[in-house]
Amino acid sequence: MRRARGPAAVLAAALLLTGCAQSVDPIERLGKKAAQGVRPSGPAPDRSYRHWGLTEPLRRPPRPAARPLELHTDGARRTLPRVLDRVPTGDPVVFLTYDDGAEQDPRFVDMVRELHLPVSMFLTDSIAGPGYDHFARLRRLGAGIQNHTLDHRALAGQPYAGQRAEICGQQHRLSARLGVRARLFRPPYGTYDRTTLRAAGDCGISAVVLWRAAVTPADLVYTNGDHRLGRGDIILVGPDESTGPTLRERTTRVLRRVQQRGLTVGRLEDYL
């Protein structure tokens, strides 16, 4: 014959079923030594920016509003690419651009990856050609790959056929080697004429990109306007012509200046 359960037994069974008997703090049940080994379950904060010489994270850029790029026309009503050294935007962003492709430091790829750094590479085939795999890695990280001619010859004053061969030739090379159809073009040395614009437009270029600020071993130099960074400025982190700071060091210097101005880095291709 089964014994009748008293009120205390019924209450104990109810507590077990509802889990109230487990209300003791789990860390307390583990004991002091075991509790010391328990770590928070959330992800650790990303402080990789310190590894690259920054004192604070690089802010994420805003999402730009989609707007068509304004084109120009010549006397024959021919559409020409727009020429610009800054992007007309109210967003607190500047743009980092790199020329030629001579410096192929694998650690720069790491820097772009860890900082989620938007960069645009204007490549010259005769300089970058042996290392296109390096730029393929950057492209997979979101870097823009753009046109800087086949052989880095000064274009202004040259006949149309020669200029077109330099620009279209690099368009074909970038397509064959990296699967890229470049929309942006930077003329070597920043020099161009109306023939350059005609040839660039005929090669599928929508904008000729110059720069308002350039990195030197000593500081930033400005081509016009205020001698300080502003919204929409295009920055040239040019090739090192000496044994000065590395590409990574020059980039860090620029990023510090960008942050001091309350700005961040945007992706040029998102705005053009």
Side-chain angles (χ1 to χ4, degrees), residues 93-111:
V93 294
V94 296
F95 307 97
L96 296 188
T97 65
Y98 300 77
D99 279 6
D100 301 350
E103 295 174 273
Q104 299 171 16
D105 180 1
R107 295 289 289 135
F108 181 71
V109 178
D110 296 335
M111 183 181 200

Side-chain angles (χ1 to χ4, degrees), residues 61-65 67 87-95 230-232 263-264 271:
R63 184 182 297 276
R67 59 174 65 90
V87 173
T89 179
D91 292 344
V93 294
V94 296
F95 307 97
R231 297 179 181 222
L263 303 167
T264 190
Y271 284 79

Side-chain angles (χ1 to χ4, degrees), residues 1 30 47 56 80 82 117 181 183 239 244 250-251:
M1 182 176 177
L30 285 171
R47 292 189 172 88
E56 59 180 302
L80 299 176
R82 185 176 182 180
L117 186 62
R181 186 67 178 175
R183 296 184 296 105
R250 300 198 305 278
T251 300

Side-chain angles (χ1 to χ4, degrees), residues 23 38 64 84 95 123 150 159 164 199 207 226 250 255 267-268:
S23 62
V38 175
L84 67 167
F95 307 97
L123 301 183
L150 279 174
R164 189 179 190 280
D226 293 338
R250 300 198 305 278
L255 293 177
R267 187 172 185 270
L268 183 62

Side-chain angles (χ1 to χ4, degrees), residues 145-182:
I145 303 296
Q146 305 298 344
N147 190 322
H148 198 42
T149 72
L150 279 174
D151 295 311
H152 209 274
R153 298 173 183 169
L155 297 180
Q158 298 299 316
Y160 171 84
Q163 296 202 42
R164 189 179 190 280
E166 279 287 326
I167 302 170
C168 285
Q170 181 63 345
Q171 290 288 82
H172 297 319
R173 195 61 54 88
L174 292 175
S175 178
R177 296 296 303 273
L178 295 172
V180 170
R181 186 67 178 175

Side-chain angles (χ1 to χ4, degrees), residues 41 62 69 109 122 138 177 206 218 226 240 261:
S41 59
L69 182 66
V109 178
F122 288 83
L138 284 169
R177 296 296 303 273
S206 59
D226 293 338
D240 185 23
R261 292 285 296 151

